[in-house]
Amino acid sequence: MALVQGVKIEVISENCTLPFYQDPDMVDDGIGINKKRSFYIEAITNAKFYLQVTLTEDFEWLSGNCATVYLSFDGGRKQAWNFDKRVWAASRKPSAKKLTHFVHYDPEIKMYREAHFSFGHLELQELNEADGTLAHIDQLGTIRVEIERRKMFPRLHPKVYRHHKDGSGERVSTVSEKALKGKAVTNTVSMIAGKPTNRHTSTHYYESLAGADSHRICFEILYRSKHVLQMLGCIPKTPSPEPFSEVTAPSEQGLPTVGNTPTDTTDPDQEIRDLRARLALLERKSNAKSEPLDTYGDSSIPVRGVKREQVDVREVWEVKRPKASGPIETVDLTDD
């Protein structure tokens, strides 16, 4: 939303008012008479939108009795809406108009048709030469709103306006990269065909004011994608997600741990030392479970770090019977 000199501009999409962003690199040196007010909005592809213009109690009519609002997209043809000062004064509240659609001639049905607004996708093509079919290439990605104070007089005979057959219903959907000249534009305003309608009939004619009262209040709304707005610094970038940290069990023997424990530290050197200490502890526990104990005598002494093969005791300690020594005994086996 923008509010300047009693004029409030809103861009509404999906029943939500889009926030306006300021360019951080633009220096505000005051508001001059003919100075443009530039704002950024986020354009979501294929999202429908419309504008709402409100004249508040602070709006100065000067010598005019009518305020005309001109709306154009991407430097294209303008269409107008009028505020009547008498209606504004009688309502005793801010007067608002919804700029929901253009009116253009559709040759297929040979009738006038409403054309509603949406953010379309701008397709870039690699061409050798710049696209010469687009007259206002520098106005791509721009919604322009102008408010002019005028004098309104009644007509003796109503006048039926003929809307243009081209310009309102046809929009630019492709453009060459060379023509953009590095401009960060990825969207365009597309027109969605609506219901048939009648031509506008005017019962008044208008005259512009002279002198200082003739200046217009101009707004430029630059619609860009979210990525472009982040690169321009209009909106903060999305923070990177924090890395997932598993919950570690409390350490044994009072050794520090890393993760979601009370001993967690932000010092990278301390974290490295804690990891090394925990790794050494795990290695010692693994070796203690996988290595056998060597037994000597009555005491069992564990030997770490050396693997010994099991030796068959029968092969090492062979039992040999000693020969008997002494006199030979004679045994008589006869019956006598």
Side-chain angles (χ1 to χ4, degrees):
M1 181 193 73
L3 179 60
V4 176
Q5 297 183 10
V7 180
K8 183 171 69 172
I9 304 293
E10 296 174 281
V11 180
I12 302 174
S13 176
E14 305 297 336
N15 297 326
C16 295
T17 302
L18 299 181
F20 282 23
Y21 303 103
Q22 296 281 354
D23 188 351
D25 297 332
M26 184 179 297
V27 179
D28 189 5
D29 55 356
I31 298 177
I33 293 179
N34 296 318
K35 182 179 178 181
K36 295 180 295 185
R37 287 82 178 173
S38 297
F39 304 93
Y40 284 91
I41 61 172
E42 180 183 351
I44 301 177
T45 305
N46 298 328
K48 299 179 182 179
F49 72 94
Y50 66 91
L51 282 80
Q52 181 169 295
V53 180
T54 305
L55 301 184
T56 66
E57 297 86 347
D58 299 330
F59 180 74
E60 297 180 358
W61 292 89
L62 303 179
S63 59
N65 60 355
C66 172
T68 303
V69 180
Y70 300 97
L71 174 63
S72 63
F73 300 110
D74 304 328
R77 204 179 302 275
K78 301 177 183 179
Q79 290 202 10
W81 289 259
N82 294 307
F83 284 90
D84 191 342
K85 183 178 179 180
R86 295 172 300 175
V87 177
W88 175 86
S91 62
R92 298 182 180 180
K93 61 180 181 180
S95 181
K97 282 188 179 295
K98 294 182 178 180
L99 317 185
T100 58
H101 62 273
F102 280 174
V103 176
H104 71 99
Y105 182 78
D106 190 348
E108 294 183 358
I109 62 174
K110 297 181 179 180
M111 293 180 63
Y112 287 89
R113 182 191 290 273
E114 295 179 355
H116 299 270
F117 318 135
S118 70
F119 294 115
H121 176 67
L122 182 63
E123 183 179 354
L124 301 180
Q125 296 181 349
E126 296 182 0
L127 301 177
N128 296 329
E129 298 182 357
D131 189 0
T133 59
L134 187 60
H136 304 281
I137 192 68
D138 57 334
Q139 294 295 321
L140 273 179
T142 304
I143 302 173
R144 187 177 178 88
V145 182
E146 301 178 31
I147 294 90
E148 180 187 14
R149 302 172 181 88
R150 300 195 296 179
K151 288 185 178 181
M152 180 175 61
F153 304 95
R155 290 181 180 273
L156 296 178
H157 303 284
K159 179 180 179 180
V160 178
Y161 283 93
R162 296 185 60 185
H163 296 275
H164 297 279
K165 296 183 179 181
D166 56 352
S168 298
E170 299 179 359
R171 305 299 303 168
V172 176
S173 59
T174 59
V175 67
S176 64
E177 294 184 0
K178 186 176 181 180
L180 286 179
K181 299 180 180 179
K183 193 174 181 180
V185 178
T186 57
N187 293 91
T188 183
V189 174
S190 300
M191 296 294 174
I192 301 177
K195 62 182 180 180
T197 184
N198 298 322
R199 289 184 292 178
H200 175 66
T201 302
S202 176
T203 57
H204 296 79
Y205 70 94
Y206 306 89
E207 293 182 358
S208 299
L209 303 181
D213 295 348
S214 63
H215 74 271
R216 296 184 179 186
I217 304 174
C218 302
F219 296 87
E220 275 192 354
I221 304 172
L222 309 176
Y223 57 92
R224 300 290 187 269
S225 64
K226 182 178 181 180
H227 176 69
V228 174
L229 293 179
Q230 290 176 342
M231 299 301 295
L232 294 174
C234 299
I235 59 177
K237 295 183 178 180
T238 304
S240 301
E242 297 182 358
F244 176 75
S245 59
E246 296 183 356
V247 179
T248 58
S251 63
E252 299 179 3
Q253 299 180 359
L255 294 177
T257 60
V258 290
N260 300 330
T261 61
T263 57
D264 192 11
T265 176
T266 58
D267 186 6
D269 296 335
Q270 182 65 31
E271 291 184 2
I272 294 175
R273 289 193 293 269
D274 295 344
L275 285 172
R276 288 177 178 173
R278 183 166 179 79
L279 181 60
L281 176 63
L282 295 176
E283 288 180 351
R284 289 198 296 270
K285 291 176 61 177
S286 177
N287 293 335
K289 293 180 181 179
S290 62
E291 295 174 2
L293 299 179
D294 293 341
T295 305
Y296 297 96
D298 297 333
S299 60
S300 298
I301 304 175
V303 180
R304 309 298 182 191
V306 179
K307 294 184 179 180
R308 299 181 182 275
E309 298 179 357
Q310 295 182 358
V311 182
D312 191 357
V313 180
R314 292 175 299 176
E315 296 179 0
V316 178
W317 303 99
E318 293 182 358
V319 180
K320 296 182 179 180
R321 296 182 180 180
K323 294 182 180 180
S325 60
I328 300 174
E329 183 180 358
T330 303
V331 179
D332 187 6
L333 300 177
T334 62
D335 295 336
D336 297 340

